[in-house]
C-alpha cells in the first residue's frame, strides 16, 4: 500500500515537473522570439567632434575630429535608449588620410590619390588595422577600438564595420598583418593584364597618371602639401576601382582605388567553378562544404581571412560596400565561412540592381540588402510630392518572398539628408515615411546619426558638396553637436523642435524592437480604403500587421498641409482573420499612448472614426 502511494506521488511529482518544464520551455520560446533589429550608422570620426570651425578643407587641428573614446558609457546608453540594437561604426578600417603619422611607422598618403583631407573610408589602406585619426594614441589604435567594441557589447548592442571587397587604396600597405598574411599584390605577376591569382588587374607597359582635374578642383583646395605634385608612381598602372582600364582615369572615376581581381577575366568570363542553381535553396553549411574542396582565387582567401580576423577581434558583422561588383560565388564562399564561425553574424550588403537581389541573398548568403531602388526611392518621391502611396503596396508585394532581407532606411552616408533643400528641406516631413519604413516589413531598420535631430548637412567641407554630411573631410555636424552638448550627450543645446523629433524617433524605434506583430503577418488595406472610404486618397497609406496576441493597424498621412476626417475601414477579410467576434473594441495608439479610438464592427466591416493631422501616423493596437 505504501509502495503504491509512493509510486502515485512520484508520478504526480514527475507530471508537475514535466508541466513546469513545459511552461519553462514556452517561456524560453517566447524570450527567444525574434524581434526587429535597428541599426545606427554613425560616422565614427564625426560623432564626438565638438569643434564648430568648419573651415573648407580644414586640417584635423583646425576642424577637429572625433575619437573612439567619445563613445563613452553615457553616449552608448543614449544610443541604446534610442531603440538601437546594432551600431555600424563607419570608417574604422585604416584608410588613406592627409595627416602625418610617420612617427608611428605609417607612410604619408599622396593628396593626388586621396579624396578630401580626411580621406574616403572606402579607400582602405590596411585591413588589419584601424584609422589612426580615431585613437588618442595612434600607437594603440587597435587596443582603443577593442575597448570600444567591449563597451558597446556591455551596453547590449552589436558592432558592425565596413568591408570593401571590390577595391582598395592605390597605396595599400599592411603594417600589422597576422603571421603568414601577405599584402594585396605582393605576389602578383605584373607583366600580365590578368592572372587568376593576381590580386589586381594591370595595364602592362604603362604608368599611372593622375586625372585631369575639372571644374577648378585642386587636391586640398587652396592648401599645399609636399606630396601634391600631380604625380603618383604606379608602374605598371592598375585598373581603377570602378573598372576603368585607362592608365589615366577620369576625374569622376574612383581614381584613388584599384580594383580587386576575383578570378573574372577581362572579357567577363569566370576563372572558377560556378555555384549550381540548386544552392539557392541550401544553407550556409552546405555552401561551406561546397567550397572546402575547391581551388579558389587568392583574393577570395585574402578577404575571407580579413573577415575572420575581425570576427575573432569581437566584431559582430559587416556592411559590404558595392557587393554587386564582386561575383556572387565569392560571397557564397566568404559568407558561409563567416557563418561557420558565427552563425548570428549580421551581414548587410549594398546592392542596387533589383534583378540581382535574390542571387545575392540566396546564393551569396547575405542576410540583408539595401532596399534603395524600390522602397527608398518610392518613399522619397512621395515625401517630395511627386509620387503616390499606391506604389508602396505594389513594391512590398514584389518583395514578398525576400522582404525580411531588405533593410529599410531614409538616410545613410551616400544619400542626401532629409532636411537638406535638395531632399525635402524639413526633417519633420520624414515622420510618416519613417513609420512606414520601420513597420512595413520584418526587415531591419537603419538610421544615420543626426537624422533623429534633423541634421541638414549645409556645410561646405571641401571635397564633395553640401546636402550629404561629408565622408571625406574633417567637419562638425551642427544639429548632432547640439545633442552631444560638449560631450554630455543629453541634447542640452537642441531646439524644442529637434527635441520633439528625437522623441518621435525614440518612441517609434523602441516600439519596433519590442513588437511581436512587426515580425508577423502583413496585409495592405490601402486599396480597400481607397475604394470604400470617402475622403481617403493617395496621400495616405494603411496596412495591418499581426500575430495572435498583437493586432496592429498602421495609418500614415504623408501630406504636409491636409488633415483627414474619415471613417476608416478594416475589410471583412481582416475581421475574419483576426477572429473579431464582438461589436466594439478599444484601440491603443502605440506611439503616444492615446486611447481615444474605437473599432466598431458592422456587417463584418471594421469602422474607425479618426482624424489624421498633417504628417501624422497612428499605430493602433486592438484591445480584446
Amino acid at each position: 500500500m505504501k509502495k503504491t502511494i509512493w509510486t502515485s506521488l512520484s508520478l504526480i511529482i514527475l507530471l508537475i515537473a514535466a508541466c513546469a518544464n513545459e511552461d519553462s520551455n514556452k517561456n524560453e520560446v517566447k524570450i527567444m522570439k525574434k524581434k526587429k533589429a535597428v541599426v545606427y550608422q554613425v560616422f565614427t570620426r564625426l560623432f564626438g567632434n565638438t569643434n564648430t570651425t568648419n573651415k573648407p578643407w580644414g586640417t584635423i587641428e583646425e576642424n577637429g575630429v572625433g575619437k573612439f573614446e567619445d563613445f563613452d558609457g553615457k553616449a552608448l546608453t543614449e544610443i541604446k535608449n534610442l531603440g538601437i540594437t546594432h551600431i555600424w561604426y563607419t570608417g574604422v578600417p585604416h584608410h588613406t588620410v592627409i595627416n602625418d603619422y610617420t612617427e608611428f611607422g605609417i607612410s604619408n598618403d599622396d593628396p593626388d590619390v586621396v579624396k578630401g583631407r580626411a580621406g574616403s573610408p572606402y579607400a582602405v589602406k590596411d585591413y588589419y588595422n584601424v584609422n589612426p585619426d580615431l585613437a588618442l594614441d595612434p600607437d594603440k589604435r587597435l587596443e582603443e577600438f577593442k575597448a570600444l567594441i567591449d563597451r558597446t557589447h556591455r551596453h547590449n548592442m552589436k558592432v558592425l564595420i565596413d568591408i570593401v571587397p571590390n577595391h582598395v587604396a592605390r597605396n595599400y600597405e599592411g603594417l600589422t598583418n597576422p603571421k603568414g598574411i601577405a599584402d594585396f599584390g605582393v605576389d602578383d605577376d605584373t607583366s600580365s593584364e590578368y592572372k587568376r591569382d593576381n590580386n589586381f588587374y594591370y595595364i602592362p607597359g604603362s604608368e599611372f597618371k593622375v586625372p585631369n582635374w575639372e571644374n577648378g578642383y585642386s587636391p586640398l583646395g587652396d592648401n599645399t602639401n609636399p606630396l601634391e605634385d600631380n604625380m603618383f608612381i604606379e608602374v605598371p598602372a592598375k585598373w581603377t576601382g570602378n573598372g576603368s582600364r585607362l592608365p589615366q582615369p577620369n576625374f569622376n572615376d574612383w581614381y584613388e582605388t584599384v580594383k580587386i581581381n576575383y578570378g573574372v577575366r577581362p572579357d567577363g568570363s569566370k576563372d572558377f567553378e560556378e555555384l549550381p542553381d540548386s544552392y539557392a535553396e541550401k544553407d550556409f553549411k552546405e555552401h561551406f562544404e561546397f567550397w572546402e574542396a575547391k581551388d579558389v582565387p587568392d583574393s577570395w582567401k585574402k578577404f575571407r581571412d580579413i573577415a575572420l580576423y575581425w570576427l575573432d577581434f569581437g566584431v559582430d558583422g559587416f556592411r559590404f560596400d558595392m557587393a554587386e561588383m564582386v561575383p556572387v560565388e565569392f560571397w557564397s564562399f566568404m559568407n558561409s565561412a563567416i557563418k561557420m564561425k558565427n552563425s548570428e553574424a549580421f551581414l548587410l550588403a549594398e546592392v542596387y540592381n533589383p534583378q540581382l537581389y535574390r542571387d545575392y541573398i540566396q546564393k551569396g548568403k547575405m542576410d540583408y540588402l539595401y532596399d534603395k531602388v524600390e522602397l527608398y526611392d518610392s518613399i522619397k518621391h512621395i515625401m517630395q510630392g511627386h509620387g503616390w502611396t499606391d506604389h508602396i503596396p505594389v513594391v512590398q508585394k514584389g518583395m514578398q518572398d525576400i522582404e525580411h532581407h531588405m533593410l529599410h532606411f531614409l538616410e545613410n552616408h551616400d544619400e542626401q539628408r532629409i532636411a537638406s533643400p535638395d531632399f525635402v528641406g524639413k526633417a519633420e516631413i520624414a515622420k510618416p515615411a519613417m513609420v512606414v519604413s520601420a513597420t512595413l516589413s520584418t526587415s531591419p531598420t537603419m538610421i544615420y546619426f543626426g537624422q533623429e535631430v534633423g541634421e541638414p548637412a549645409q556645410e561646405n567641407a571641401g571635397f564633395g558638396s553640401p546636402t550629404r554630411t561629408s565622408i571625406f573631410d574633417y567637419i562638425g555636424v551642427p544639429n548632432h553637436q547640439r545633442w552631444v552638448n560638449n560631450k554630455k550627450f543629453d541634447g542640452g543645446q537642441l531646439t524644442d523642435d529637434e527635441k520633439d523629433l528625437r522623441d518621435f524617433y525614440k518612441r517609434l524605434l523602441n516600439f519596433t524592437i519590442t513588437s511581436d506583430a512587426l515580425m508577423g503577418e502583413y496585409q495592405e488595406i490601402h486599396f480597400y480604403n481607397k475604394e470604400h472610404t470617402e475622403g481617403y486618397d493617395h496621400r495616405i497609406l494603411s496596412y495591418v500587421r499581426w500575430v495572435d496576441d498583437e493586432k496592429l493597424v498602421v495609418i500614415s498621412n504623408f501630406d504636409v498641409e491636409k488633415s483627414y476626417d474619415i471613417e476608416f475601414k478594416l475589410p471583412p477579410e481582416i475581421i475574419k482573420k483576426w477572429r473579431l467576434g464582438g461589436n466594439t473594441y478599444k484601440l491603443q495608439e502605440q506611439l503616444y499612448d492615446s486611447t481615444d479610438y474605437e473599432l466598431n464592427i458592422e456587417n463584418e466591416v471594421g469602422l474607425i472614426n479618426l482624424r489624421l493631422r498633417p504628417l501624422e501616423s497612428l499605430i493602433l493596437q486592438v484591445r480584446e
Side-chain angles (χ1 to χ4, degrees):
M1 181 69 179
K2 288 181 180 178
K3 184 177 181 181
T4 304
I5 292 170
W6 177 250
T7 303
S8 299
L9 285 171
S10 298
L11 286 170
I12 290 169
I13 290 167
L14 286 170
L15 283 169
I16 291 170
C19 289
N21 190 52
E22 185 178 346
D23 288 341
S24 173
N25 287 340
K26 285 179 181 175
N27 290 335
E28 187 176 347
V29 169
K30 190 170 185 180
I31 290 168
M32 296 298 287
K33 193 179 290 183
K34 283 278 189 182
K35 305 282 187 175
K36 278 181 74 87
V38 177
V39 178
Y40 190 71
Q41 183 194 0
V42 58
F43 211 85
T44 314
R45 72 165 170 253
L46 302 182
F47 177 82
N49 181 22
T50 57
N51 187 309
T52 59
T53 304
N54 286 353
K55 174 185 174 183
W57 296 100
T59 65
I60 195 170
E61 293 81 13
E62 291 169 327
N63 281 0
V65 70
K67 303 288 184 180
F68 291 133
E69 184 189 55
D70 294 328
F71 295 89
D72 61 14
K74 172 64 173 170
L76 290 170
T77 295
E78 291 303 319
I79 293 172
K80 175 66 177 175
N81 289 344
L82 188 60
I84 303 303
T85 60
H86 296 67
I87 302 183
W88 165 17
Y89 290 110
T90 306
V92 166
H94 183 183
H95 58 78
T96 53
V97 300
I98 306 301
N99 207 8
D100 191 340
Y101 289 110
T102 52
E103 66 177 292
F104 302 101
I106 300 169
S107 60
N108 282 328
D109 296 318
D110 189 329
D112 292 303
V113 287
V114 177
K115 289 180 178 175
R117 183 178 282 276
S120 168
Y122 300 107
V124 176
K125 177 177 178 174
D126 183 355
Y127 260 115
Y128 288 101
N129 218 308
V130 298
N131 181 0
D133 278 352
L134 303 176
L136 293 175
D137 180 353
D139 221 18
K140 297 181 179 178
R141 55 196 185 278
L142 275 174
E143 293 96 317
E144 291 187 33
F145 181 51
K146 182 66 171 80
L148 173 56
I149 293 173
D150 293 342
R151 284 199 302 277
T152 307
H153 288 164
R154 286 197 299 272
H155 285 79
N156 296 312
M157 292 179 286
K158 303 288 189 182
V159 172
L160 312 179
I161 64 170
D162 294 279
I163 290 184
V164 191
N166 180 64
H167 49 271
V168 295
R170 289 209 105 92
N171 57 330
Y172 190 92
E173 180 185 24
L175 296 179
T176 56
N177 295 357
K179 188 176 180 180
I181 298 289
D183 265 4
F184 288 97
V186 166
D187 298 320
D188 282 6
D189 177 357
T190 62
S191 66
S192 298
E193 180 182 30
Y194 166 85
K195 284 197 172 178
R196 194 199 72 156
D197 289 313
N198 277 357
N199 298 136
F200 303 127
Y201 298 92
Y202 294 90
I203 308 168
S206 71
E207 54 183 273
F208 173 79
K209 292 184 179 180
V210 172
N212 290 318
W213 307 131
E214 299 177 7
N215 304 317
Y217 173 80
S218 175
L220 307 186
D222 295 331
N223 300 283
T224 59
N225 183 286
L227 294 176
E228 186 194 344
D229 54 7
N230 211 41
M231 289 182 59
F232 178 80
I233 297 172
E234 180 182 284
V235 182
K238 304 179 181 76
W239 287 17
T240 293
N242 63 324
S244 171
R245 306 182 188 189
L246 300 173
Q248 184 178 31
N250 187 276
F251 177 52
N252 294 313
D253 288 328
W254 304 349
Y255 60 81
E256 80 279 25
T257 65
V258 290
K259 186 168 179 62
I260 297 290
N261 166 26
Y262 281 91
V264 178
R265 301 182 185 93
D267 65 4
S269 61
K270 297 177 178 178
D271 203 356
F272 49 80
E273 187 163 345
E274 295 193 45
L275 195 67
D277 289 340
S278 62
Y279 273 75
E281 306 299 324
K282 297 183 185 294
D283 65 19
F284 69 83
K285 293 178 183 176
E286 292 171 289
H287 281 243
F288 181 78
E289 290 167 0
F290 176 86
W291 294 111
E292 265 201 308
K294 304 292 187 297
D295 181 30
V296 299
D298 184 73
S299 296
W300 293 29
K301 301 171 194 172
K302 277 188 165 59
F303 270 101
R304 175 203 59 193
D305 292 344
I306 288 164
L308 298 184
Y309 167 85
W310 286 112
L311 287 179
D312 286 338
F313 200 80
V315 166
D316 303 292
F318 307 100
R319 181 269 191 185
F320 298 125
D321 185 78
M322 294 306 297
E324 65 193 271
M325 296 182 76
V326 178
V328 73
E329 286 86 357
F330 161 74
W331 293 115
S332 165
F333 169 81
M334 183 158 98
N335 288 343
S336 62
I338 290 171
K339 291 290 189 178
M340 290 296 292
K341 182 173 280 287
N342 177 4
S343 63
E344 296 299 312
F346 189 103
L347 306 180
L348 167 63
E350 184 183 28
V351 174
Y352 293 137
N353 183 349
Q355 294 180 339
L356 297 177
Y357 286 169
R358 286 159 184 82
D359 267 358
Y360 278 76
I361 293 166
Q362 294 162 359
K363 285 187 175 182
K365 292 300 162 215
M366 295 296 183
D367 292 323
Y368 308 109
L369 308 180
Y370 279 18
D371 198 345
K372 197 275 184 196
V373 174
E374 299 283 2
L375 186 68
Y376 169 86
D377 284 350
S378 300
I379 287 182
K380 184 173 183 178
H381 289 152
I382 295 165
M383 291 168 67
Q384 293 175 325
H386 311 315
W388 288 24
T389 55
D390 297 19
H391 191 56
I392 294 178
V394 176
V395 165
Q396 189 63 9
K397 185 176 181 180
M399 294 289 180
Q400 191 169 358
D401 60 321
I402 56 170
E403 61 94 23
H404 177 67
H405 301 280
M406 301 306 297
L407 174 132
H408 293 173
F409 63 90
L410 295 182
E411 285 191 356
N412 64 47
H413 68 276
D414 284 321
E415 306 300 339
Q416 294 170 326
R417 290 285 195 175
I418 295 161
S420 72
D422 289 1
F423 196 143
V424 289
K426 187 176 180 181
E428 286 74 16
I429 294 175
K431 284 184 173 182
M434 193 64 216
V435 169
V436 171
S437 183
T439 65
L440 184 67
S441 79
T442 64
S443 70
T445 305
M446 184 172 77
I447 70 168
Y448 189 35
F449 87 114
Q451 177 182 342
E452 70 276 24
V453 291
E455 175 57 41
Q458 295 174 329
E459 293 67 43
N460 175 18
F463 190 91
S465 58
T467 78
R468 295 170 177 84
T469 295
S470 176
I471 65 170
F472 303 105
D473 286 284
Y474 303 111
I475 200 73
V477 186
N479 287 38
H480 170 72
Q481 287 176 323
R482 290 198 286 276
W483 174 77
V484 170
N485 191 22
N486 295 317
K487 303 192 182 179
K488 295 176 185 174
F489 304 106
D490 61 3
Q493 298 178 35
L494 292 176
T495 66
D496 288 343
D497 286 345
E498 290 161 357
K499 288 176 182 176
D500 288 345
L501 184 65
R502 193 175 192 278
D503 177 66
F504 162 79
Y505 274 90
K506 187 173 183 178
R507 290 170 183 268
L508 174 62
L509 297 178
N510 275 284
F511 170 71
T512 68
I513 63 173
T514 57
S515 170
D516 290 331
L518 296 184
M519 296 301 288
E521 301 295 323
Y522 156 88
Q523 185 169 321
E524 62 89 5
I525 52 175
H526 172 74
F527 291 112
Y528 182 88
N529 276 279
K530 279 200 78 177
E531 183 176 349
H532 294 92
T533 299
E534 185 178 353
Y536 184 106
D537 63 24
H538 63 274
R539 297 297 289 166
I540 307 175
L541 181 70
S542 58
Y543 47 90
V544 289
R545 302 297 313 276
W546 76 94
V547 290
D548 286 344
D549 57 356
E550 186 183 0
K551 300 173 179 67
L552 303 176
V553 182
V554 183
I555 316 162
S556 290
N557 175 10
F558 281 79
D559 203 275
V560 177
E561 299 176 350
K562 184 177 179 180
S563 290
Y564 291 83
D565 292 285
I566 55 177
E567 187 178 55
F568 184 80
K569 296 177 177 63
L570 292 184
E573 181 183 359
I574 296 300
I575 301 301
K576 183 177 180 181
K577 284 182 178 180
W578 286 4
R579 301 185 187 92
L580 298 180
N583 295 321
T584 303
Y585 296 86
K586 290 288 185 185
L587 299 173
Q588 182 83 40
E589 206 284 314
Q590 298 298 293
L591 295 185
Y592 291 94
D593 200 31
S594 170
T595 54
D596 295 333
Y597 302 94
E598 279 188 349
L599 168 64
N600 296 298
I601 299 176
E602 297 178 9
N603 299 320
E604 299 182 333
V605 175
L607 306 175
I608 308 170
N609 287 305
L610 55 84
R611 160 167 272 216
L612 273 177
R613 294 186 296 269
L615 301 176
E616 182 178 28
S617 294
L618 300 175
I619 302 177
L620 304 175
Q621 181 175 354
V622 179
R623 294 298 190 192
E624 297 188 40

